[in-house]
């Protein structure tokens, strides 16, 4: 939490009159002392610092009231105090408005900054000539006491905050501990109490804390290094997971039940012999992993459609293989989709046969081998992991939420879809893990929900997931495009329609999907409809999606025939829409087909608009404007060329662009000037 020092104030010789410096000191002191609601961290340091500033505020106000000239040494003191108080203000604001969790983790560092500012305050007061100032005895005594206290002050780190931080670190360790028999099981009440002690009480508090942590991670990315950013990502994952568990009654009950259940190892030792015999002779082949031949614990489906145990196939992929072990088919992606149906059958079979699923193996003679294999798998770096602790927490959250999507009530599905929407908003690793947890097929199904919030959360979650390129393949493979188009055409909220347009833009980044999506009968008319009646953000989403689709030549005519050109021209005149460059880019693309050229030439207002944009547009806007003008004047565009020649602003604008524009704009401006020159010469000869 580095705080920039204010610029130094100039100090002249001799006695100076009281002026803006004291007014500034009084104002900033009042801003600090009037701060409402102390932060949940650094409580003692903040409260004692505010008391010190209150004492100084009384000093400044009393000096102001006397209206006496000030000696130079006092001016120097007040200049330093202004710098210190401004730094204090930023420090307290950082504690109040920044991430409480990150400030808790950094408690020694933040406490040190408070300590340093008090010491600087004491040094500034050392040069204050109290004897030369017209002060009351009480004020002089208080300032003297403040100076002595600042000299004697020792660094204070709140032991309660140290204890809270240790509790937090233990909770984080328990979610990722590999050798614990209760791996991943945490005391939700303990988590809730720890987070409550730093102000996290409602779902909104948790969401705001995640946003603050994300902002801190972005800030630290350039200076803090990978380890610092990794630690912040761990905290983000912890808050997201805790929110999902604490504010879902079903999740809370499930976790409590898990804690009360006996451990897998206790069950194993209770009936070692019978379980071993059962597993030797009676394990169905369909429950065995084709790689290890052991009973699967976490069955997942790879791109080829075959099912394996997660640890076994992850180890196979980590060793550099990109083919299906069973079929030899090359895997088009590395995502591992949970096989919930088989997992349910597995659980049922294990319960019926008294087999502890977590520690089972294919035979008693293979127990040692399986144990060794599990250790190897636990130590292997999963192919989707960047930071193991953070990824484990995200994985737990994602699988929990996907389960709610699959089996929950509408209220539960609405909340789960919203949580996945937020989780997919940041980080490619999050998007990978959510897809791996099997969320995409369920989200696609929810696009047809009659509940407006479920539909909106589902389409937005798919939009966020589609940012990761491999997820584009999974979304298209799940047959999502028709459902997304339905939401775009007749979504229950405008936000759902707009996010459906954004999803189409994201998916159409892949060239082959431009063809597939553009061939859908209703997609382009629906995007053009949103171009007309959407909000500013919706119009921009529609324009960018149309641009992507129009890159493929076959789609250009469809975009024109859907009535896009008049709407795009209107958007050039709508300053409130703020999408001039996007509209120009689409028009420049549509110029490449005969239908587009003909429709654009019909507009009587376009040419004057383009001339103005040559002068006042953005660099990209100028490039597209000159592209349009040059295209309109070529191939029989004499009428447009004549209108350009008649407009007194056109030639100066083109000459300016030819001299100062981008390389592309200069080249096209030169070409258009030559074309206009020929038109002018031919016109004179004709006359």
């Amino acid at each position: 939490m580095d705080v920039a020092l204010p610029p130094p104030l100039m100090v002249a010789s001799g006695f100076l009159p009281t002026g803006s410096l004291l007014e500034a000191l009084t104002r900033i002191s009042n801003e600090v002392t009037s701060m409402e609601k102390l932060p949940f961290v650094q409580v003692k340091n903040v409260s004692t610092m505010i008391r010190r500033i209150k004492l100084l505020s009384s000093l400044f106000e009393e000096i102001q009231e006397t209206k006496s000239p000030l000696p130079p040494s006092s001016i120097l003191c007040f200049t330093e105090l202004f710098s210190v108080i401004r730094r204090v203000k930023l420090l307290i604001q950082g504690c109040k408005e920044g991430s409480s969790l990150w400030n808790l983790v950094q408690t020694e560092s933040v406490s040190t900054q408070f300590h340093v500012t008090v010491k600087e305050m004491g040094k500034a007061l050392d040069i204050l000539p109290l004897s030369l100032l017209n002060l009351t005895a009480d004020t002089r005594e208080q300032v003297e006491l403040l100076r002595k206290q600042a000299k004697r002050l020792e660094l204070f780190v709140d032991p309660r905050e140290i204890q809270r931080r240790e509790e937090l670190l233990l909770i984080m360790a328990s979610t990722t501990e590999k050798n614990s028999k209760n791996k991943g099981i945490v005391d939700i009440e303990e988590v809730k109490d720890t987070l409550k002690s730093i102000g996290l009480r409602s779902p909104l508090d948790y969401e705001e804390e995640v946003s603050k942590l994300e902002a801190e991670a972005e800030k630290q990315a350039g200076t803090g290094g990978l380890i610092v950013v990794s630690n912040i990502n761990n905290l983000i994952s912890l808050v997201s997971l805790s929110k999902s568990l604490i504010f879902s009654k079903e999740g809370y009950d499930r976790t409590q039940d898990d804690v009360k259940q006996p451990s897998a190892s206790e069950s194993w030792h209770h009936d070692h012999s019978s379980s071993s015999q059962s597993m030797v002779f009676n394990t169905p082949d369909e429950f065995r992993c084709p790689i290890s031949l052991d009973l699967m614990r976490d069955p997942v489906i790879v791109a080829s459609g075959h099912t394996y145990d997660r640890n076994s196939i992850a180890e196979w992929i980590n060793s550099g293989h990109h083919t299906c072990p069973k079929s030899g088919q090359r895997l088009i992606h590395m995502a591992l989709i949970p096989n919930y149906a088989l997992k349910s059958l597995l659980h049922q079979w294990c319960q019926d046969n008294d087999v502890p699923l977590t520690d089972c193996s294919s035979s008693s003679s293979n127990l040692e081998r399986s144990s060794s294999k599990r250790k190897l798998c636990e130590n292997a770096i999963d192919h989707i992991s960047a930071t193991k602790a953070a990824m484990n927490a995200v994985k737990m959250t994602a699988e929990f939420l996907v389960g709610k999507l699959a089996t929950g009530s509408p209220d539960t599905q609405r909340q789960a879809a919203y949580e996945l929407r937020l989780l997919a908003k940041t980080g490619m690793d999050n998007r990978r893990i959510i897809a791996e947890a099997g969320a995409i097929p369920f989200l696609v199904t929810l696009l047809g929900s009659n509940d407006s919030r479920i539909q909106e959360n589902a389409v937005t979650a798919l939009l966020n997931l589609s940012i990761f390129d491999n997820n584009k393949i999974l979304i298209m493979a799940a047959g999502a495009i028709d459902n997304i188009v339905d939401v775009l055409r007749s979504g229950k909220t405008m936000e759902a329609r707009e996010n459906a347009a954004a999803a189409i833009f994201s998916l159409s980044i892949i060239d082959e999907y431009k063809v597939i999506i553009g061939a859908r009968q209703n997609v382009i008319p629906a995007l053009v409809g949103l171009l007309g009646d959407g909000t500013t953000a919706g119009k921009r989403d529609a324009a960018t999606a149309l641009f992507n689709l129009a890159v493929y030549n076959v789609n250009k005519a469809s975009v024109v025939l859907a009535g896009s050109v008049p709407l795009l021209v209107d958007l050039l005149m709508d300053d409130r829409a703020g999408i001039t460059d996007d509209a120009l880019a689409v028009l420049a693309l549509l110029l490449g087909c005969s239908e587009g050229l003909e429709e654009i030439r019909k507009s009587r207002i376009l040419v004057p608009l383009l001339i103005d944009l040559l002068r006042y547009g953005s660099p990209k806007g100028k490039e597209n404007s000159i592209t349009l003008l040059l295209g309109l004047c070529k191939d029989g565009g004499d009428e447009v060329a004549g209108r350009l020649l008649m407009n007194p602003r056109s030639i100066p604008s083109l000459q300016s662009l030819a001299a100062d524009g981008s390389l592309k704009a200069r080249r096209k401006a030169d070409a258009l000037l030559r074309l206009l020159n020929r038109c002018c010469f031919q016109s004179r000869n004709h006359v």
Side-chain angles (χ1 to χ4, degrees):
M1 196 189 301
D2 297 327
V3 180
L5 291 176
L9 299 176
M10 301 303 295
V11 181
S13 59
F15 285 76
L16 297 178
T18 304
S20 59
L21 177 58
L22 280 173
E23 292 175 4
L25 280 166
T26 303
R27 184 174 62 254
I28 197 170
S29 299
N30 290 336
E31 288 174 0
V32 173
T33 56
S34 63
M35 284 184 176
E36 298 178 355
K37 191 180 177 183
L38 293 178
F40 289 95
V41 291
Q42 298 293 331
V43 176
K44 185 172 181 180
N45 279 328
V46 171
S47 58
T48 53
M49 183 64 80
I50 288 176
R51 284 200 297 272
R52 294 186 183 100
I53 303 298
K54 279 183 179 178
L55 289 176
L56 291 176
S57 180
S58 301
L59 168 67
F60 304 144
E61 289 173 358
E62 188 170 324
I63 293 175
Q64 262 191 309
E65 289 172 1
T66 62
K67 298 182 180 179
S68 301
L70 300 177
S73 56
S74 65
I75 294 289
L76 181 61
C77 166
F78 293 153
T79 302
E80 293 297 320
L81 285 176
F82 181 82
S83 174
V84 171
I85 295 171
R86 194 163 82 171
R87 188 173 179 183
V88 166
K89 177 186 173 184
L90 295 174
L91 200 52
I92 296 175
Q93 284 178 338
C95 292
K96 286 184 64 176
E97 300 169 8
S99 162
S100 297
L101 276 174
W102 183 242
N103 283 328
L104 184 65
V105 171
Q106 298 283 94
T107 185
E108 289 97 342
S109 174
V110 180
S111 298
T112 300
Q113 291 185 61
F114 276 104
H115 181 254
V116 169
T117 53
V118 176
K119 289 294 184 183
E120 290 175 355
M121 187 182 295
K123 290 178 182 178
L125 290 173
D126 279 340
I127 59 174
L128 181 65
L130 289 174
S131 59
L132 299 179
L133 299 176
N134 186 16
L135 302 174
T136 63
D138 286 344
T139 301
R140 185 176 283 106
E141 184 179 339
Q142 287 177 345
V143 173
E144 192 62 45
L145 180 62
L146 180 59
R147 179 161 51 188
K148 290 178 181 178
Q149 287 177 343
K151 286 184 176 180
R152 296 197 306 265
L153 182 72
E154 295 182 357
L155 174 65
F156 174 76
V157 181
D158 195 332
R160 293 173 300 178
E161 293 188 5
I162 295 292
Q163 182 182 352
R164 287 177 193 161
R165 185 179 65 181
E166 293 305 315
E167 292 170 355
L168 177 68
L169 294 176
L170 285 173
I171 291 168
M172 293 180 67
S174 71
T175 64
T176 57
E177 188 177 349
K178 294 180 180 178
N179 298 321
S180 170
K181 61 187 178 182
N182 289 329
K183 174 185 175 183
I185 298 177
V186 295
D187 186 339
I188 296 302
E189 284 302 317
E190 181 184 348
V191 176
K192 185 177 179 180
D193 291 342
T194 301
L195 297 180
K196 188 176 180 180
S197 69
I198 57 170
L200 304 188
R201 292 183 168 85
S202 68
L204 182 60
D205 293 334
Y206 281 71
E207 290 172 18
E208 289 178 348
E209 181 65 18
V210 168
S211 298
K212 291 174 182 178
L213 285 168
E214 288 170 350
E216 187 66 36
E218 186 175 345
K219 174 184 170 185
Q220 295 286 347
T223 57
L226 291 176
I227 295 177
V228 173
V229 174
S230 172
N231 290 336
I232 297 174
N233 285 333
N234 291 346
L235 292 173
I236 292 173
S237 301
L238 175 66
V239 175
S240 299
L241 174 63
S242 301
K243 180 191 171 192
S244 298
L245 295 177
I246 291 170
F247 295 103
S248 169
K249 186 177 186 303
E250 296 178 26
Y252 173 79
D253 292 340
R254 186 183 74 171
T255 306
Q256 289 297 91
D257 292 339
D258 288 345
V259 173
K260 294 174 184 176
Q261 288 173 359
S263 68
S265 59
E266 290 171 345
S267 300
W268 171 260
H269 290 302
H270 179 70
D271 194 8
H272 175 278
S273 176
S274 62
S275 296
S276 174
Q277 292 301 317
S278 170
M279 293 164 68
V280 170
F281 300 109
N282 299 327
T283 303
D285 289 340
E286 58 269 25
F287 292 165
R288 295 180 185 271
C289 174
I291 297 176
S292 66
L293 301 181
D294 291 338
L295 185 68
M296 287 185 278
R297 294 181 296 156
D298 188 2
V300 294
I301 305 169
V302 297
S304 64
H306 292 97
T307 297
Y308 301 91
D309 183 72
R310 183 184 294 275
N311 283 340
S312 297
I313 192 63
E315 189 177 8
W316 168 268
I317 293 172
N318 287 338
S319 63
H321 296 91
H322 298 93
T323 56
C324 171
K326 194 170 183 179
S327 67
Q329 178 183 347
R330 184 168 184 80
L331 301 176
I332 62 172
H333 60 77
M334 299 298 127
L336 307 179
I337 311 300
N339 190 333
Y340 286 110
L342 183 59
K343 193 170 187 177
S344 176
L345 293 172
L346 258 171
H347 279 234
Q348 187 61 50
W349 182 85
C350 288
Q351 289 176 2
D352 293 344
N353 292 275
D354 296 324
V355 176
L357 181 63
T358 52
D359 278 338
C360 55
S361 88
S362 59
S363 67
S364 57
S365 62
N366 287 333
L367 283 174
E368 184 176 349
R369 177 175 62 84
S370 297
S371 175
S372 173
K373 181 176 292 185
R374 283 194 297 274
K375 289 179 181 177
L376 287 173
C377 291
E378 287 172 351
N379 291 329
I381 299 175
D382 190 88
H383 74 288
I384 61 168
S385 297
T387 305
K388 197 66 177 178
M391 295 307 100
N392 282 342
V394 173
K395 179 185 171 185
M396 289 171 63
T397 304
E399 291 182 347
F400 171 75
L401 294 173
V402 171
K404 296 301 180 188
L405 283 185
T407 60
S409 65
D411 286 342
T412 303
Q413 288 178 325
R414 185 187 308 112
Q415 181 65 24
Y418 178 69
E419 297 290 343
L420 286 170
R421 167 185 178 173
L422 294 181
L423 195 60
K425 190 176 180 181
T426 56
M428 289 299 184
D429 290 314
N430 288 9
R431 295 172 187 128
R432 252 196 317 260
I433 292 170
I434 292 169
E436 185 178 321
I440 288 173
F442 295 110
L443 290 170
V444 171
T445 301
L446 292 178
L447 293 178
S449 171
N450 291 323
D451 185 299
S452 61
R453 301 304 297 174
I454 291 178
Q455 184 187 72
E456 182 181 306
N457 291 332
V459 73
T460 310
L462 286 170
L463 164 62
N464 293 337
L465 289 172
S466 71
I467 296 170
F468 179 52
D469 281 347
N470 200 60
N471 286 349
K472 292 179 172 67
I473 300 171
L474 298 178
I475 291 170
M476 293 296 288
I481 190 61
D482 289 329
N483 300 58
I484 293 174
V485 173
D486 287 342
V487 176
L488 173 64
R489 292 176 61 209
S490 55
K492 300 187 180 302
T493 65
M494 181 57 74
E495 185 175 351
R497 292 179 61 201
E498 292 170 351
N499 288 339
I504 289 172
F505 162 74
S506 178
L507 294 171
S508 61
I509 288 174
I510 296 180
D511 287 341
E512 66 179 282
Y513 295 159
K514 290 179 174 66
V515 183
I516 296 172
I517 296 172
R520 292 299 196 275
Q521 185 177 4
N522 296 314
V523 63
I524 289 176
L527 287 170
V528 172
L530 187 62
L531 201 62
D533 60 20
T535 64
T536 296
K539 290 176 179 178
R540 180 177 290 109
D541 290 333
T544 52
L546 286 170
F547 178 88
N548 257 10
L549 295 176
V551 168
Y552 181 57
N553 285 328
V554 174
N555 292 332
K556 286 184 171 70
S558 300
V559 174
V560 174
L561 295 174
S564 62
V565 171
L567 291 171
L568 291 166
V569 173
D570 287 343
L571 287 173
L572 297 181
M573 297 186 292
D574 188 356
D575 293 334
R576 293 171 302 173
I579 61 168
T580 301
D581 287 352
D582 298 304
L584 281 170
V586 180
L587 286 170
L589 265 182
L590 298 181
L591 201 65
C593 71
S594 58
E595 295 88 348
L597 179 59
E598 181 182 351
E599 191 67 26
I600 292 171
R601 278 181 176 164
K602 290 178 182 178
S603 174
R604 303 298 301 176
I605 62 173
L606 180 59
V607 171
L609 286 172
L610 294 177
I611 293 171
D612 287 340
L613 288 168
L614 288 180
R615 302 175 66 195
Y616 306 117
S618 67
K620 194 66 181 174
K622 290 178 180 179
E623 283 186 10
N624 285 320
S625 296
I626 191 65
T627 299
L628 280 162
L629 287 171
L630 184 58
L632 289 170
C633 290
K634 283 182 176 179
D635 301 325
D638 295 341
E639 191 263 342
V640 176
R643 286 159 58 193
L644 273 176
L645 288 169
M646 291 174 62
N647 191 310
R649 298 191 303 274
S650 60
I651 300 301
S653 298
L654 288 170
Q655 290 172 335
S656 175
L657 192 61
D660 302 323
S662 66
L663 179 61
K664 182 178 178 182
R666 290 201 307 269
R667 189 167 62 247
K668 293 194 174 185
D670 284 335
L672 184 53
L673 283 169
R674 288 195 301 272
L675 190 151
L676 292 176
N677 191 41
R678 286 197 302 271
C679 288
C680 187
F681 180 74
Q682 290 168 1
S683 176
R684 286 174 183 172
N685 286 342
H686 179 69
V687 172

